[in-house]
Amino acid sequence: FFFNDTATTEIYTEQIVGSVRCVQETDNSGSELFKPIFLDKTKVEQVMWPVHCVQGTEGANFHKDLDVKDSDIVISKGQNVDWDSYSGFGHKEEDTGLLSLLQQRNVKTVYICGLAFDYCVGATAVDAAVNNFETYLVTEATKGIAEESIAAMEQRFESAGVKKIESTQLCLLYTSPSPRDRQKSRMPSSA
């Protein structure tokens, strides 16, 4: 049902894993997993994540049930050793190419799902809306990490204009008559 299936992925090299993200407590004295730390080099706050998405490991693969075709677009993000890029659109120091790709294809509406609602998925949805795409988050196809960050992302959604949709609504949207046919069926009949 979609013409431009796009997936984003983070695949960290050992260099990135040991440098900024995915580091364990021993790498940053006093840090705790899932808690922010301030990085002197980049002057940004960074959440400490457990090791994940490491190149060459099972964790770097898409889920086995996700149907990724050769024709799908796969966008890599989080490739800069000094910046953690949650959004599929990148960060001020990383351009993933997603924005220009969607613009070149004349995409107007995006539907977003995946993990995690309050970080990568949410940041991608907010950036899509800020970049003037009609943006929907498929609610039952995402999950958050923590109540506090979920609430903060909900506020960002409201400010950016991200809409929520359930997959059943999405299916109805794309299996109902065309917009022209829907308009015809709403036109009053003449007596």
Side-chain angles (χ1 to χ4, degrees), residues 38-158:
F38 185 78
L39 299 174
D40 289 327
K41 181 177 181 181
T42 57
K43 307 294 185 222
V44 297
E45 195 172 79
Q46 166 65 52
V47 173
M48 298 298 293
W49 297 109
V51 174
H52 68 288
C53 303
V54 179
Q55 189 175 43
T57 69
E58 184 67 24
N61 297 335
F62 287 115
H63 189 277
K64 64 180 178 55
D65 294 337
L66 183 63
D67 184 20
V68 181
K69 300 174 200 65
D70 289 340
S71 60
D72 291 349
I73 301 158
V74 177
I75 299 289
S76 294
K77 64 185 186 71
Q79 302 301 297
N80 185 318
V81 70
D82 296 321
W83 298 91
D84 204 355
S85 187
Y86 294 132
S87 173
F89 290 90
H91 185 277
K92 65 183 179 182
E93 297 293 324
E94 177 186 46
D95 178 7
T96 64
L98 180 57
L99 177 60
S100 60
L101 185 124
L102 295 175
Q103 289 171 334
Q104 289 167 3
R105 291 170 179 248
N106 203 29
V107 171
K108 302 292 182 208
T109 305
V110 295
Y111 298 90
I112 299 174
C113 61
L115 295 174
F117 168 83
D118 38 349
Y119 289 94
C120 299
V121 171
T124 301
V126 168
D127 282 352
V130 166
N131 282 295
N132 298 313
F133 295 99
E134 185 173 6
T135 305
Y136 294 89
L137 177 90
V138 184
T139 56
E140 74 273 23
T142 188
K143 186 171 173 89
I145 292 175
E147 293 297 323
E148 186 178 313
S149 51
I150 290 169
M153 188 57 72
E154 294 277 2
Q155 290 179 340
R156 290 180 63 195
F157 274 24
E158 191 173 315

